[in-house]
Amino acid sequence: MKSDIEIAQSCKLRKIIDVAKECEIPLDFVEPYGHYKAKINLDYYEKIKNNEDGKLILVTAITPTKAGEGKTTMTIGLGQALRKIGTKTMICLREPSLGPVFGLKGGAAGGGYAQVVPMDDINLHFTGDMHAITTANNLICACLDNHIHQGNQLNIDPTRVVIKRCMDMNDRTLRNITIGKGKGNGVEREDGFNITVASEVMAILCLSNDLNDFKKKIGNMVVAYTYDDEPVYVKDLNIVGALGVVMKDAIKPNLVQTLEGGPAFIHGGPFANIAHGCNSIIATKMALKMSDVVVTEAGFGADLGAEKFLDIKCRQGNLRPSAVVIVATIRALKMHGGKDRSDLITPDPDALMKGIPNLEKHIENIASYNLPYIVAINQFASDDESEIEALTNWCKENNHPLFLCNVHAHGGEGAVELAKFINSIPIKNNFKPLYEVNEPLEVKIEKICKSIYGADGVTYTNEALNELERLKNHGRDNLLVCMAKTQNSISDNDALIGRPRGFNITIKGIRLSNGAGFIVPLTGKILTMPGLPKVPAANNMDILEDGTIKGVF
């Protein structure tokens, strides 16, 4: 059986200008990066902005397990299936981070015969967006520390700098460092690094409507506080123009293709357990003007990525999804039912039924937004007929639309029936976000924790309470809420699989992302700079003399 990278490298790619022609993008707006990827100039959106929007289909999933759910694979496969039945379709995905690529999780370009290509480029340096975001973030840090060193006219308290430097790599040794040591090297202070995809610059890029909007948002980013407890903004450093220069190309969506030659935008990539976990508003809005159906995804399960997509991205981008696809696998449901990963091949309908409450909760979450939903089972060869029958019967009994899909093995052909159902769904519905913007911050947090996670209540540490009070005193009540929570459980405890009940969510701290328009309540053991595993994926990668890449992306 061929590996994902072998399948991708054996595929005959279309020239990207031909993909653009299929999308009816005039070549004047296409900026090729080689033969198989391109940026699309934002002037093109101005040309098509009065077009009617297509349907927006969100793909989410149950709580992730080590068995794998294949959400990105399903997103790509569904896009391929829609194109196969003649629907004008665009796929919108996030850009992968090099941290997971060389660490544990791997790349994010799909799998089997449902991939976006060129897969190795997408998973590596791509068109340089990650570099630009890293540079913009670190330019802010350098100018901030230089300002303090050069006389500190803004009266910045060096102990209250809230922005960290970043790099697009997992490196635990950089979480907590001391900078400025030695004479003439600036003010010595405690600092640290985040991974680039956890940077607020990344979140701002993905929530901006154009370059001017990006500059406005980045200018409003709070980077420090003065000795008088007043916020210091990026615009106070007089570098907003320079940041716009750094991001002038990164702001443009990246056009690539699926293994079946269909178009896909891949743009931006904020983590979903820390930030909002969605591709850029720019790419999504452009795609909606270009196609009848846009298929996009949000990170991890419906408790994280989908909630943030619906409450943050849709609100800031004025987007209205038409339906949500909830991806599950029989293997993963059995793990939620207590089955060990080493024994997933053995048929066990009882373990499956014990794991179904996890799927049930994610269905309830999506239904709470008044959105149509579909359960899509990413099928494996090891799935037993008795297990498929048990899941099918449960869905029928509870009136949950269910489709068995096999896009990993068959590409678009493996999701044709799902694609036909998507085409039958009305474009408009009664979608309503979970909370109102003008509600108090603690009310918004409580609604997410109780309604989406199923918690009994919310507990705050003293540090979190103090920060909440400071935010309210500074007039931040109108910000949205972007929870930082483990992806491995609906609760804030990694060990609680399935559908946990009888728990409280503990808020350990709160961070302000003023430029992005949200606050980040911190729960559990969330890290903004991951570490590498004992045997990182980097240990098993190589490039051969003929250019063939070995390894797992």
Side-chain angles (χ1 to χ4, degrees), residues 385-439:
E385 282 300 322
S386 63
E387 297 168 331
I388 295 172
E389 183 180 5
L391 180 56
T392 301
N393 288 340
W394 179 82
C395 285
K396 282 182 179 178
E397 290 166 5
N398 292 280
N399 297 315
H400 302 317
L402 172 72
F403 288 88
L404 298 174
C405 302
N406 202 332
V407 296
H408 189 280
H410 300 297
E413 193 62 43
V416 164
E417 294 307 312
L418 173 59
K420 291 177 180 177
F421 187 81
I422 292 293
N423 271 347
S424 71
I425 293 174
I427 192 169
K428 293 183 178 179
N429 52 55
N430 296 317
F431 165 63
K432 186 176 186 296
L434 182 68
Y435 55 81
E436 298 298 329
V437 175
N438 58 2
E439 291 180 310

Side-chain angles (χ1 to χ4, degrees), residues 307-549:
E307 184 273 314
K308 294 171 182 179
F309 179 94
L310 298 169
D311 285 320
I312 297 176
K313 178 175 177 176
C314 285
R315 203 177 323 237
Q316 291 208 22
N318 194 26
L319 302 169
R320 295 189 64 85
S322 295
V324 179
V325 176
I326 305 169
V327 179
T329 66
I330 285 174
R331 294 156 52 94
L333 289 171
K334 288 195 289 186
M335 285 195 73
H336 279 295
K339 195 82 169 175
D340 190 83
R341 186 184 179 191
S342 62
D343 193 28
L344 292 177
I345 295 177
T346 306
D348 193 340
D350 290 340
L352 170 74
M353 294 308 296
K354 289 177 182 175
I356 274 181
N358 183 271
L359 171 61
E360 181 182 48
K361 178 55 180 161
H362 289 297
I363 290 173
E364 290 174 10
N365 287 347
I366 297 304
S368 70
Y369 290 89
N370 296 327
L371 284 171
Y373 61 85
I374 309 99
V375 177
I377 299 302
N378 192 9
Q379 208 168 354
F380 282 73
S382 60
D383 294 347
D384 187 76
E385 282 300 322
S386 63
E387 297 168 331
I388 295 172
E389 183 180 5
L391 180 56
T392 301
N393 288 340
W394 179 82
C395 285
K396 282 182 179 178
E397 290 166 5
N398 292 280
N399 297 315
H400 302 317
L402 172 72
F403 288 88
L404 298 174
C405 302
N406 202 332
V407 296
H408 189 280
H410 300 297
E413 193 62 43
V416 164
E417 294 307 312
L418 173 59
K420 291 177 180 177
F421 187 81
I422 292 293
N423 271 347
S424 71
I425 293 174
I427 192 169
K428 293 183 178 179
N429 52 55
N430 296 317
F431 165 63
K432 186 176 186 296
L434 182 68
Y435 55 81
E436 298 298 329
V437 175
N438 58 2
E439 291 180 310
L441 290 174
E442 60 267 38
V443 172
K444 291 181 254 194
I445 292 170
E446 185 176 273
K447 282 188 175 182
I448 294 171
C449 292
K450 286 186 173 182
S451 299
I452 303 300
Y453 307 156
D456 291 339
V458 183
T459 303
Y460 292 87
T461 64
N462 287 334
E463 178 188 343
L465 281 174
N466 290 337
E467 186 58 34
L468 187 63
E469 189 63 27
R470 183 180 295 114
L471 289 168
K472 292 166 77 71
N473 289 340
H474 284 140
R476 312 290 186 191
D477 246 346
N478 63 337
L479 294 176
L480 305 176
V481 173
C482 183
M483 298 290 292
K485 182 184 77 68
T486 178
Q487 68 271 22
N488 297 318
S489 173
I490 298 175
S491 74
D492 57 356
N493 181 348
D494 280 21
L496 299 181
I497 59 173
R499 181 177 184 167
R501 297 180 187 272
F503 65 92
N504 277 8
I505 294 289
T506 300
I507 309 296
K508 298 183 176 181
I510 300 177
R511 293 181 182 173
L512 173 64
S513 294
N514 193 63
F518 54 68
I519 63 161
V520 184
L522 303 170
T523 72
K525 300 176 181 177
I526 286 296
L527 296 170
T528 53
M529 171 52 85
L532 292 170
K534 187 172 183 179
V535 182
N539 287 16
N540 300 308
M541 288 186 191
D542 197 4
I543 183 164
L544 307 183
E545 290 184 7
D546 64 356
T548 300
I549 294 176

Side-chain angles (χ1 to χ4, degrees), residues 56-351:
L56 179 58
I57 306 298
L58 172 66
V59 179
T60 186
I62 62 171
T63 303
T65 68
K66 291 184 178 179
E69 289 64 56
K71 174 163 49 63
T72 303
T73 301
M74 184 67 74
T75 302
I76 297 165
L78 174 56
Q80 291 179 151
L82 285 160
R83 182 171 177 266
K84 188 175 285 288
I85 62 173
T87 303
K88 193 174 182 181
T89 307
M90 282 290 296
I91 297 168
C92 288
L93 299 172
R94 292 175 295 162
E95 297 181 50
S97 164
L98 286 176
V101 166
F102 291 117
L104 179 65
K105 187 172 178 285
Y113 290 91
Q115 296 186 56
V116 280
V117 283
M119 183 253 269
D120 48 346
D121 285 1
I122 293 166
N123 281 320
L124 293 171
H125 308 291
F126 202 21
T127 58
D129 293 348
M130 291 292 182
H131 167 76
I133 294 162
T134 303
T135 301
N137 183 98
N138 293 343
L139 174 60
I140 296 170
C141 294
C143 290
L144 177 63
D145 280 308
N146 181 62
H147 179 90
I148 297 171
H149 174 69
Q150 301 289 359
N152 197 7
Q153 290 180 329
L154 292 172
N155 199 31
I156 296 168
D157 182 350
T159 67
R160 298 194 61 200
V161 173
V162 294
I163 183 174
K164 290 187 175 184
R165 288 160 166 81
C166 73
M167 63 183 293
D168 191 32
M169 190 59 59
N170 293 358
D171 192 345
R172 62 174 58 82
T173 63
L174 295 176
R175 288 173 187 160
N176 298 291
I177 62 173
T178 301
I179 63 170
K181 299 190 75 169
K183 187 176 180 180
N185 294 328
V187 174
E188 184 173 327
R189 66 177 182 86
E190 298 299 311
D191 198 8
F193 275 74
N194 292 328
I195 192 166
T196 297
V197 285
S199 164
E200 188 179 349
V201 179
M202 171 66 85
I204 290 171
L205 167 71
C206 289
L207 292 172
S208 298
N209 290 288
D210 52 38
L211 187 56
N212 285 333
D213 191 33
F214 173 85
K215 289 167 67 177
K216 179 181 177 181
K217 285 181 166 68
I218 202 83
N220 288 327
M221 181 176 165
V222 173
V223 291
Y225 290 88
T226 68
Y227 287 106
D228 301 319
D229 195 33
E230 292 299 320
V232 178
Y233 300 92
V234 166
K235 60 190 174 187
D236 295 329
L237 299 171
N238 296 318
I239 57 170
V240 170
L243 292 167
V245 172
V246 171
M247 297 295 292
K248 68 179 181 65
D249 292 318
I251 200 80
K252 303 168 186 174
N254 306 296
L255 180 67
V256 291
Q257 63 190 286
T258 69
L259 286 178
E260 296 180 6
F265 278 143
I266 299 184
H267 193 218
F271 272 0
N273 54 357
I274 300 166
H276 64 288
C278 310
N279 72 286
S280 75
I281 285 175
I282 289 172
T284 303
K285 290 178 78 169
M286 188 179 289
L288 284 167
K289 299 298 183 184
M290 294 168 55
S291 52
D292 297 325
V293 178
V294 173
V295 186
T296 189
E297 67 167 358
F300 300 126
D303 58 318
L304 279 172
E307 184 273 314
K308 294 171 182 179
F309 179 94
L310 298 169
D311 285 320
I312 297 176
K313 178 175 177 176
C314 285
R315 203 177 323 237
Q316 291 208 22
N318 194 26
L319 302 169
R320 295 189 64 85
S322 295
V324 179
V325 176
I326 305 169
V327 179
T329 66
I330 285 174
R331 294 156 52 94
L333 289 171
K334 288 195 289 186
M335 285 195 73
H336 279 295
K339 195 82 169 175
D340 190 83
R341 186 184 179 191
S342 62
D343 193 28
L344 292 177
I345 295 177
T346 306
D348 193 340
D350 290 340

